[in-house]
Amino acid sequence: MDLKKLFDLQRELDSRISKEHHLQNDMLFSEKALALQVEFGSLANETRCFKYWCNQKSSPQTIILEEYVDCLYFILSVGIDKDFENIEPVLSCSVNKITEQFLDLFIDINDFLICSSIDHYITLFEDFLSLGINLGFTENDIEKAYLDKNYVNAESKATAY
């Protein structure tokens, strides 16, 4: 996955959004962090991994990937805000249940909010990538979905994420 390319595209999108909404002088880190938590919740909801009481299956993989990429947008964006763009996360696949991975990600976000260190950011990124692998996505799937959605965002006045 070409993270430099993704960070560059995210920076362009963030800049465009800031200009369109007259937010150039606003610090939006808290809003982005909350948006990331909400997007993780939306992703978990689509997987239905925690809905032990429900017989309904998870959403189609295309919907789950779209929600996953929405999370990626905000992970990249908070990394840009903290100038943590030159990272090299290590891809690994944990054997945890997906529900446990979501709980770990919420902890990772909180750790990053309390202490916005590059170590906490890398842990968040790595755990996020691990979740993607466990959801059945390859790095290529994730990058292509991000690029496709970014193209839609770039072509329209309304941002899709």
Side-chain angles (χ1 to χ4, degrees):
M1 184 177 329
D2 186 351
L3 286 182
K4 181 183 178 341
K5 181 178 183 178
L6 300 184
F7 275 113
D8 289 346
L9 289 169
Q10 187 63 44
R11 188 180 316 95
E12 289 173 22
L13 180 61
D14 287 352
S15 177
R16 190 189 96 207
I17 291 168
S18 289
K19 287 176 188 168
E20 287 176 4
H21 296 276
H22 309 290
L23 302 169
Q24 294 95 326
N25 297 321
D26 292 357
M27 298 300 295
L28 300 172
F29 181 78
S30 295
E31 287 80 356
K32 292 175 183 181
L34 179 58
L36 178 56
Q37 290 174 321
V38 170
E39 291 298 339
F40 275 144
S42 295
L43 175 58
N45 201 44
E46 293 299 336
T47 69
R48 294 180 180 83
C49 63
F50 63 96
K51 294 187 176 187
Y52 61 89
W53 63 88
C54 183
N55 291 328
Q56 188 178 10
K57 292 184 177 183
S58 66
S59 294
Q61 281 293 92
T62 55
I63 300 297
I64 293 172
L65 181 56
E66 185 176 319
E67 291 294 334
Y68 183 86
V69 167
D70 288 347
C71 297
L72 180 57
Y73 269 88
F74 288 105
I75 289 175
L76 293 168
S77 192
V78 297
I80 291 167
D81 284 357
K82 297 298 181 182
D83 199 27
F84 294 156
E85 297 171 55
N86 295 319
I87 62 166
E88 294 182 24
V90 176
L91 277 176
S92 66
C93 186
S94 69
V95 293
N96 292 346
K97 288 174 43 178
I98 290 176
T99 303
E100 292 171 359
Q101 287 188 282
F102 276 108
L103 292 172
D104 286 345
L105 282 163
F106 280 106
I107 292 168
D108 292 344
I109 294 168
N110 287 330
D111 288 347
F112 183 61
L113 288 172
I114 292 167
C115 177
S116 296
S117 70
I118 194 161
D119 289 337
H120 282 125
Y121 183 69
I122 290 171
T123 297
L124 171 62
F125 215 111
E126 288 176 344
D127 287 352
F128 177 70
L129 292 175
S130 178
L131 174 65
I133 291 168
N134 281 342
L135 290 172
F137 306 130
T138 66
E139 286 184 63
N140 289 339
D141 294 335
I142 297 165
E143 184 172 359
K144 182 180 180 328
Y146 180 92
L147 295 174
D148 290 348
K149 192 162 192 173
N150 190 272
Y151 177 78
V152 170
N153 286 338
E155 294 298 311
S156 78
K157 285 286 184 183
T159 303
Y161 86 94

